[in-house]
Amino acid sequence: MSRDYDIIIIGTGPAGFSCAMQSSKFDQNVLVVESHKKYLGGTWINTGTVPSKALREAAKNILDFNEQFGDHEHKKPYERFQMSDLLQYKQDILEKENQKAKNDLIKNKVDVARGFGQLKDAHTVEVETHIGSTETYTADYILLSTGSNPAEPQNFELDHDKILDYESILEITHIPRRLVIIGSGVNAIEYATIFSALGTRVTMLSSRKDYLTFLDHEIKEHLGDSLNRKGITIKTNIEIEDVAFNGLRNHTEVKFKSKAEDQRLQVIETEHVLFLGGRKPNVNGLNLEAAGVETDDHNFIKTDDTFKTNVDNIYAAGDVIGFPRLASASFSQGRLAACNMFGIPALSVPDQIPYGIYGIPEIANIGITEQDAEEMGLDITVGRAYFKNIAKANMSNNTEGILKLVFNTNTLKLLGVHILGNDAPNLIHLGQSVMSYDGDIRYFINHVMNYPTLSEAYRIAAFNGVNRVYQAGVKYKNILEDKKEK
């Protein structure tokens, strides 16, 4: 049967965009459906990754200047800089990234339909356009890549003025003196450090007993010290009772109780509240039942290892399928979905993927932590490098940080890399490359690295680790000899 397209992709976030690009390279006829009237890229470009990281870069530049040259006329950043300037910087980046995405689709002859897409059956997508008309398209394959959206708070309401969420925080009109963040996940840490860099007094409130528990314990300790130095207060294991604006006192009040203590009601007065709860998949309105597409208990679309749903010709990728919900992973998922659809062999993506937290300082990791290794009963050694001992870090006045290597004591095989410090999400890829080829820490000793660079931290950490093995009784010359894992 002849159909309009080889593939229809609903959603132009990282998964949908990369699937469109890869499918076009396979000479397939591609249609993408985008619900936004003007922009492409979904949350990735417009309300999530790109704008929040652009705001982070602007705040980091301000912080670097202040730390390098001191407060000008003893004024805090929020007294010297306008939020409108930061937002304009963010908007300029957003416009550039959107134009790049648009140009790539045009260059690769990918058609775009503007409107809300929903399934009519396993091969048919109906698009309700913004002008009220309805268009119907058919395809051999369909990719669902509609992403996710913020979950709503349960016991108070967002007004997007005093009480904000992921999206409205990016439209705030001034740098607040005080900010309460409800949440303690990755985004909460990022926004807490961004606004702290601008001079805002930040308090984080979390219903959980701890935060970022997946981090290596040493990285977590350094992060905690960093947050303390920045004056960021974190209160864990609490229950929010109410959030509301008090007109008499001209403040927003956050009322909460500790779950573990005396249950007395506590109140924090603040200018703004930023609610950063979980996220839920964008499946409402997709009409999944029309094609029989199954979801899990949390409404994420279920797929197999090839990103195929229970319906043979319908695939799904990105946030809408759940973990790990990273833009970086979504790009790979969309590409692999296209390869699997059209029977094109593709190298598999390793199970271990790097994670990046774009706070100030940044954090990145890949592989197992020291505590993971201990629980697994592995004989491991760690090597450390502190940024304060690296010339490049001193030159750039970014001495806050540590790079930690976890490796097998016997074979020196690299098992994990954990970094806190400037440019950590970029630095992590050198360790990722060595791990992907089952390499060991002698790579960092035997290869010349440019000086001065932050990558020098790998060499210092490797030597630090080798010295620990040597001190444990292994002769130094034997450590440097080539040996295979037994």
Side-chain angles (χ1 to χ4, degrees):
M1 177 185 294
S2 176
R3 297 189 173 97
D4 301 324
Y5 291 92
D6 297 307
I7 176 174
I8 295 174
I9 299 166
I10 304 180
T12 62
F17 179 82
S18 63
C19 183
M21 293 297 97
Q22 187 65 80
S23 298
S24 70
K25 301 302 181 186
F26 295 153
D27 297 321
Q28 303 299 318
N29 195 12
V30 184
L31 171 71
V32 296
V33 179
E34 173 54 51
S35 62
H36 199 284
K37 291 181 180 180
K38 179 180 179 183
Y39 293 128
L40 298 165
T43 300
W44 156 44
I45 292 180
N46 302 291
T47 59
T49 305
V50 170
S52 65
K53 275 49 176 180
L55 182 61
R56 186 257 178 208
E57 290 302 312
K60 180 64 164 58
N61 289 337
I62 291 172
L63 179 65
D64 285 345
F65 181 87
N66 282 353
E67 291 188 341
Q68 187 78 26
F69 302 107
D71 290 343
H72 179 68
E73 297 178 351
H74 305 289
K75 291 183 177 180
K76 294 292 184 182
Y78 57 70
E79 297 173 306
R80 298 175 52 204
F81 298 94
Q82 299 296 316
M83 194 67 192
S84 58
D85 295 329
L86 277 72
L87 293 181
Q88 186 57 55
Y89 175 79
K90 178 264 296 183
Q91 188 64 27
D92 290 344
I93 300 298
L94 186 154
E95 296 287 351
K96 290 176 183 177
E97 292 301 310
N98 260 286
Q99 191 59 50
K100 283 168 55 181
K102 180 179 179 180
N103 290 344
D104 283 341
L105 292 178
I106 293 173
K107 182 172 63 177
N108 287 276
K109 300 179 180 179
V110 174
D111 291 343
V112 179
R114 297 279 184 174
F116 293 89
Q118 65 171 334
L119 300 174
K120 297 303 289 181
D121 58 44
H123 292 279
T124 308
V125 173
E126 184 178 86
V127 179
E128 183 182 343
T129 71
H130 296 295
I131 60 174
S133 62
T134 300
E135 304 290 342
T136 302
Y137 306 94
T138 59
D140 295 333
Y141 293 97
I142 294 172
L143 177 78
L144 305 174
S145 54
T146 48
S148 63
N149 63 89
E152 295 287 332
Q154 296 182 350
N155 51 357
F156 61 91
E157 293 184 1
L158 303 171
D159 62 11
H160 302 291
D161 176 25
K162 301 295 184 183
I163 308 173
L164 312 168
D165 67 359
Y166 290 89
E167 297 186 14
S168 47
I169 187 64
L170 295 169
E171 302 300 331
I172 192 170
T173 57
H174 68 288
I175 301 172
R177 299 285 184 94
R178 288 180 292 175
L179 176 67
V180 170
I181 298 176
I182 298 177
S184 60
V186 169
N187 293 115
I189 294 294
E190 291 177 348
Y191 276 112
T193 56
I194 286 171
F195 279 96
S196 175
L198 298 173
T200 303
R201 183 178 177 180
V202 179
T203 300
M204 295 173 58
L205 302 177
S206 174
S207 61
R208 298 181 179 181
K209 293 182 179 180
D210 202 354
Y211 64 97
L212 302 189
T213 54
F214 60 88
L215 292 179
D216 179 271
H217 72 93
E218 210 165 349
I219 299 298
K220 174 77 176 302
E221 290 170 7
H222 280 267
L223 173 62
D225 292 341
S226 175
L227 297 176
N228 286 334
R229 286 193 298 271
K230 292 174 169 59
I232 298 172
T233 301
I234 301 181
K235 295 181 180 293
T236 57
N237 201 27
I238 62 95
E239 185 173 353
I240 302 295
E241 294 290 320
D242 188 35
V243 179
F245 180 71
N246 186 328
L248 293 176
R249 297 182 60 84
N250 197 32
H251 284 102
T252 300
E253 293 182 341
V254 181
K255 299 178 181 179
F256 65 95
K257 293 180 180 179
S258 170
K259 295 179 181 179
E261 297 176 359
D262 57 8
Q263 292 289 302
R264 63 186 176 86
L265 187 67
Q266 302 179 58
V267 180
I268 295 180
E269 292 184 342
T270 183
E271 280 187 65
H272 292 279
V273 173
L274 172 58
F275 174 74
L276 297 175
R279 297 185 70 87
K280 53 187 180 181
N282 287 328
V283 294
N284 290 340
L286 277 179
N287 198 25
L288 298 178
E289 58 276 10
V293 176
E294 296 178 353
T295 59
D296 65 16
D297 293 339
H298 300 286
N299 278 335
F300 290 101
I301 297 175
K302 294 196 292 188
T303 66
D304 62 17
D305 292 340
T306 69
F307 304 101
K308 183 170 67 175
T309 69
N310 61 298
V311 181
D312 283 344
N313 68 294
I314 299 180
Y315 288 67
D319 281 16
V320 77
I321 68 171
F323 183 83
R325 298 200 293 274
L326 298 170
S328 52
S330 295
F331 280 115
S332 292
Q333 291 175 359
R335 177 184 67 83
L336 291 173
C339 293
N340 293 323
M341 284 179 200
F342 300 112
I344 308 296
L347 295 175
S348 61
V349 175
D351 292 333
Q352 292 182 334
I353 62 175
Y355 284 80
I357 300 175
Y358 294 84
I360 303 174
E362 294 165 300
I363 301 172
N365 61 63
I366 188 170
I368 64 172
T369 65
E370 184 179 0
Q371 57 265 38
D372 288 336
E374 291 173 353
E375 291 172 4
M376 296 164 68
L378 301 178
D379 182 6
I380 58 99
T381 301
V382 301
R384 302 174 181 86
Y386 297 95
F387 279 36
K388 64 184 179 182
N389 297 324
I390 301 172
K392 179 65 175 180
N394 282 300
M395 294 172 187
S396 61
N397 199 35
N398 284 291
T399 56
E400 181 181 43
I402 177 176
L403 184 147
K404 180 176 180 178
L405 304 178
V406 179
F407 60 94
N408 184 292
T409 303
N410 262 343
T411 65
L412 308 183
K413 179 179 176 181
L414 185 61
L415 303 175
V417 182
H418 309 275
I419 310 172
L420 178 144
N422 192 46
D423 214 23
N426 190 26
L427 283 173
I428 198 70
H429 295 304
L430 176 54
Q432 177 189 20
S433 298
V434 172
M435 288 176 61
S436 70
Y437 289 99
D438 290 329
D440 62 59
I441 64 167
R442 289 170 298 177
Y443 175 94
F444 309 120
I445 295 173
N446 295 334
H447 287 75
V448 175
M449 296 185 181
N450 284 333
Y451 176 91
T453 62
L454 292 179
S455 296
E456 183 190 2
Y458 277 101
R459 180 175 59 83
I460 296 172
F463 272 119
N464 179 263
V466 164
N467 287 339
R468 290 175 184 276
V469 176
Y470 173 60
Q471 291 167 5
V474 181
K475 290 185 177 181
Y476 197 87
K477 65 178 182 179
N478 292 338
I479 294 173
L480 299 183
E481 289 177 357
D482 185 30
K483 52 186 175 180
K484 303 297 184 182
E485 183 175 358
K486 295 181 180 180

